[in-house]
Amino acid sequence: MNIEYNSNREKTILFTVPSECDKIDAKTFLRRHCNISARTLSKLKRTKLGITRNNELLKTTDILNVGDVVMIAMPDDVNEIKQVQGELDILFEDEYVMVVNKPSMMPVHPTKIHQEDTLANIVAYYMHKKGEHYTFRAINRLDRDTSGCLLIAKDRYTAHSLPASVTKEYVAVCEGVISGSGTVIKPIKVMEGRSIQRVVADDGAHSVTHYYPVSVSNNHTLTRFVLETGRTHQIRCHMSSIGHPLAGDDMYGGSLKFISRQALHCHKIGFIHPITKEQIQIVSDMPYDILSVLKTSGT
């Protein structure tokens, strides 16, 4: 399937119907073969010339023929996030996606108590200065205190296509000596009476964390993590449950002696580019405050 993507004020995507899709209806083609979400397809149907075939209006019930060129005009995005000038550490960017290195102590999205000091605010300012127009769509989520790679999609199609291919690798400094690799398979749920804190519980959501110790320094272990599931606070909760809380993570039993936030960093993110189909991997070096834990504790 050949895809062209013209990035102007209004983005359009062109799909050429391959032989294996001959004589199927447009809805099936767009949903199953082009990965257009049901929500986007609904918007396109209400948009004038939202879906065309060979430059003529196409209904989702129309039958396609091999070689037809189907074009969708992506609905305009409305960015309602306040623009705030700030530093943005961009690790990768093209007209479809952006990967930024999120600093610690910065929320990703605005909340009631964080209206103008989030990553979304800074990205809104950045894209406005570039003359780009897109809604802030973070594909992976990082806690306010957690630093590292954050993947952002610049349009609906990319946001819908990316998540299935995303892989992430974290690094953290755990308290105690971890002598070998292992896997924690323990269900996690919200702790009773708390809105944020998680706890291991039999009636929680299935959660799997793989951990790989990298180095040991004076009763601290630099550890690499790969997650099978993506639960909130998964690494923090799981490592605390086996007696190795993260340094600086006082919510889960970690000490604040060497660092004032959990020593957790999204070190690597990988994904298949939804347009070019290229396998992309982006790496973010560990920040100074996490490295200083190891140095302070004896590395």
Side-chain angles (χ1 to χ4, degrees), residues 110-127:
T111 64
K112 288 183 178 180
I113 61 174
H114 294 282
Q115 290 290 316
E116 300 180 10
D117 59 344
T118 74
L119 183 67
N121 295 120
I122 298 175
V123 171
Y125 177 87
Y126 171 79
M127 71 175 182

Side-chain angles (χ1 to χ4, degrees), residues 38-50:
R39 184 176 181 181
T40 297
L41 190 59
S42 178
K43 285 182 175 291
L44 290 168
K45 290 165 66 176
R46 300 192 302 270
T47 302
K48 184 179 180 180
L49 296 180

Side-chain angles (χ1 to χ4, degrees), residues 22-250:
D22 191 28
K23 306 305 180 186
I24 67 172
D25 63 83
K27 180 179 180 180
T28 301
F29 175 69
L30 291 170
R31 291 283 288 119
R32 297 183 183 178
H33 297 274
C34 304
N35 203 26
I36 302 298
S37 69
R39 184 176 181 181
T40 297
L41 190 59
S42 178
K43 285 182 175 291
L44 290 168
K45 290 165 66 176
R46 300 192 302 270
T47 302
K48 184 179 180 180
L49 296 180
I51 310 172
T52 59
R53 170 176 53 184
N54 305 331
N55 297 317
E56 295 184 356
L57 180 66
L58 177 69
K59 297 180 180 179
T60 55
T61 55
D62 289 344
I63 301 301
L64 298 175
N65 300 306
V66 61
D68 283 347
V69 176
V70 177
M71 183 177 76
I72 65 170
M74 297 298 290
D76 285 342
D77 280 333
V78 177
N79 178 40
E80 298 179 345
I81 297 174
K82 184 173 182 179
Q83 301 169 21
V84 178
Q85 186 173 6
E87 294 185 9
L88 199 59
D89 185 4
I90 299 173
L91 303 175
F92 175 87
E93 183 182 18
D94 63 15
E95 55 192 314
Y96 318 108
V97 300
M98 177 164 60
V99 179
V100 301
N101 187 24
K102 188 189 88 66
S104 63
M105 313 311 292
M106 176 182 285
V108 174
H109 297 93
T111 64
K112 288 183 178 180
I113 61 174
H114 294 282
Q115 290 290 316
E116 300 180 10
D117 59 344
T118 74
L119 183 67
N121 295 120
I122 298 175
V123 171
Y125 177 87
Y126 171 79
M127 71 175 182
H128 176 75
K129 295 294 287 185
K130 288 188 66 180
E132 296 183 340
H133 306 270
Y134 53 87
T135 296
F136 181 81
R137 296 182 175 94
I139 303 303
N140 61 310
R141 296 187 179 186
L142 297 179
D143 294 339
R144 182 178 72 96
D145 292 2
T146 303
S147 55
C149 297
L150 189 91
L151 176 61
I152 300 166
K154 292 188 177 184
D155 58 74
R156 293 176 182 272
Y157 177 75
T158 302
H160 181 68
S161 302
L162 273 173
S165 71
V166 172
T167 59
K168 294 166 289 182
E169 184 177 300
Y170 294 81
V171 291
V173 176
C174 299
E175 296 185 352
V177 176
I178 302 175
S179 58
S181 302
T183 299
V184 181
I185 307 175
K186 296 183 179 182
I188 294 174
K189 73 173 187 178
V190 178
M191 180 180 288
E192 187 175 353
R194 304 291 182 90
S195 60
I196 298 177
Q197 191 171 356
R198 268 52 179 176
V199 65
V200 168
D202 291 339
D203 59 342
H206 176 67
S207 307
V208 181
T209 302
H210 303 285
Y211 60 89
Y212 308 89
V214 176
S215 62
V216 175
S217 171
N218 195 24
N219 207 37
H220 284 79
T221 304
L222 177 63
T223 310
R224 181 172 64 90
F225 296 92
V226 176
L227 307 182
E228 280 191 28
T229 55
R231 311 302 178 193
T232 300
H233 294 187
Q234 181 173 315
I235 292 174
R236 300 167 62 188
C237 184
H238 270 175
M239 295 312 290
S240 176
S241 75
I242 63 171
H244 295 287
L246 274 57
D249 191 4
D250 58 339

